[in-house]
Amino acid sequence: MAGLGEFALIRQFFAAAACAAPAPGVVRGIGDDCALLQLPPGEQLAVSTDTQVAGVHFPERHDPFLLAQRVLAAAASDLAAMGAAPLGFTLALTLPAADPVWLEGFARGLDAIARACGLALIGGDTTRGPLNINVTVFGALPAGQALLRSGARPGDLVCIGGPTGEAAAALPLVLGEREAHGAADAQLLAQYWTPQPQLALGQALRGLASAALDVSDGLLADCGHIAEESAVRVVIEAARLPLSAALRAAAGSEALRLALSGGDDYVLAFTVAPHAVTALQVAGLSFHIVGRVEAGGGVRVLDGAGRDITPAAAGYQHFGGGDGQA
Ligand code: ADP
Ligand code: MG
């Protein structure tokens, strides 16, 4: 790296960060050729990697403090979706320049979200090039208890861990196409920049949910993965979807479309047998029942009268085939 050297940069902004301090399960963190993780006996390692590219996943003009939170939250959401307890993460940064102001903001944001999620920074890589951020997260869970996409059964209920559509509704604000005004727009922007990975919910779903994933490409597109992997039909009842006041205010008649097909929500979607729903409610978990699983295939959306109102488009795909957001 130009200016600040690569090793000085790593030391100053990452190795010295509070989130890189010694943590349970981390035998060796930043500083050697590999990090070393120790799992308790009988636990499996859950691993997920996520790359975000400037101009594709986030705007070139951004606040690095918020960007760091969004990138790590998106990756941690995959641990939540599996029911894994967070352990640590690596950070592979490709930077156009060693800009101390950007790095300071980014490191601060990373530290905030890492500590909130219980994720220790255990290593990474630092190179020069167009801005590109890769995060790999590691989590632990009892062997055989991961929440897969493949376990949904006809008769199960379909649930989501929170409202969808708000991050998609924030996009015109994020892209500077519209000025933010008031608390509702602030809520949409917070949902876009600082989504809250549902780690506690995911771990509570172990042994109860029949299938789960996190909604990143749009509710319908992601429910399509459960439908396919479980060989079932997922039926969403539009009237049951929680459409927030902020979403309605910003999107008007488009609110339902964004809740179904917008991306970047990072809430969990899961299926659960009706008898197990009670256990989740008793545990005080917050979620919404939005539909049911039937025999068949694909995803259907029904209106209040039971009419099929399934939209044609599914969600975003980087190499074509969708119409959603990056
Ligand atoms: P190597 O050449 O063996 O890949 P590096 O010189 O790239 O090692 O990195 C030195 C140490 O700093 C390693 O432990 C690596 O994991 C860590 N590291 C490099 N970049 C980052 C970063 N952006 N954030 C956190 N740790 C990093
Ligand atoms: Mg290296």
Side-chain angles (χ1 to χ4, degrees), residues 6-7 10 14 30-33 91 93 121 123-126:
E6 176 185 337
F7 297 111
I10 295 167
F14 300 111
I30 294 175
D32 216 311
D33 294 305
L91 171 69
L93 263 185
L121 176 58
D125 198 27
T126 308

Side-chain angles (χ1 to χ4, degrees), residues 261-281:
S261 304
D264 299 325
D265 298 300
Y266 303 112
V267 298
L268 299 188
F270 56 95
T271 59
V272 58
H275 66 85
V277 165
T278 321
L280 293 176
Q281 285 160 339

Side-chain angles (χ1 to χ4, degrees), residues 33-277:
D33 294 305
C34 289
L36 298 173
L37 298 176
Q38 181 74 51
L39 293 188
E43 301 233 327
Q44 291 175 332
L45 186 64
V47 181
S48 176
T49 197
D50 208 44
T51 297
Q52 300 213 10
V53 179
V56 178
H57 300 91
F58 59 88
E60 303 272 1
R61 283 179 54 124
H62 57 266
D63 176 345
F65 176 73
L66 294 175
L67 176 63
Q69 294 181 67
R70 175 174 149 81
V71 170
L72 187 55
S77 180
D78 284 320
L79 292 178
M82 237 32 206
L87 274 176
F89 70 105
T90 58
L91 171 69
L93 263 185
T94 304
L95 301 171
D99 173 357
V101 174
W102 189 94
L103 280 161
E104 191 275 328
F106 187 85
R108 236 175 355 100
L110 198 70
D111 207 39
I113 175 81
R115 291 204 283 166
C117 291
L119 280 165
L121 176 58
I122 60 169
D125 198 27
T126 308
T127 56
R128 187 178 191 139
L131 181 59
N132 177 311
I133 303 161
N134 173 273
V135 164
T136 301
V137 286
F138 303 88
L141 76 180
Q145 285 200 32
L147 305 171
L148 306 178
R149 299 175 172 191
S150 52
R153 295 288 169 263
D156 286 351
L157 299 171
V158 178
C159 305
I160 55 178
T164 55
E166 290 190 339
L171 219 57
L173 303 168
V174 170
L175 296 175
E177 296 166 2
R178 181 166 84 74
E179 285 245 343
H181 292 294
D185 281 349
Q187 180 178 326
L188 301 180
L189 281 168
Q191 203 53 50
Y192 180 90
W193 285 113
T194 56
Q196 305 295 313
Q198 299 193 295
L199 290 156
L201 176 61
Q203 290 168 73
L205 292 177
R206 284 184 205 153
L208 293 172
S210 52
L213 45 57
D214 66 319
V215 179
S216 54
D217 295 331
L219 180 62
L220 292 189
D222 286 315
C223 283
H225 298 311
I226 291 183
E228 191 171 336
E229 295 299 320
S230 300
V232 294
R233 169 170 297 168
V234 171
V235 178
I236 305 284
E237 294 168 50
R240 287 177 172 262
L241 288 174
L243 305 183
S244 75
L247 171 62
R248 289 179 193 272
S253 61
E254 291 288 279
L256 177 63
R257 186 182 68 79
L258 294 184
L260 289 169
S261 304
D264 299 325
D265 298 300
Y266 303 112
V267 298
L268 299 188
F270 56 95
T271 59
V272 58
H275 66 85
V277 165

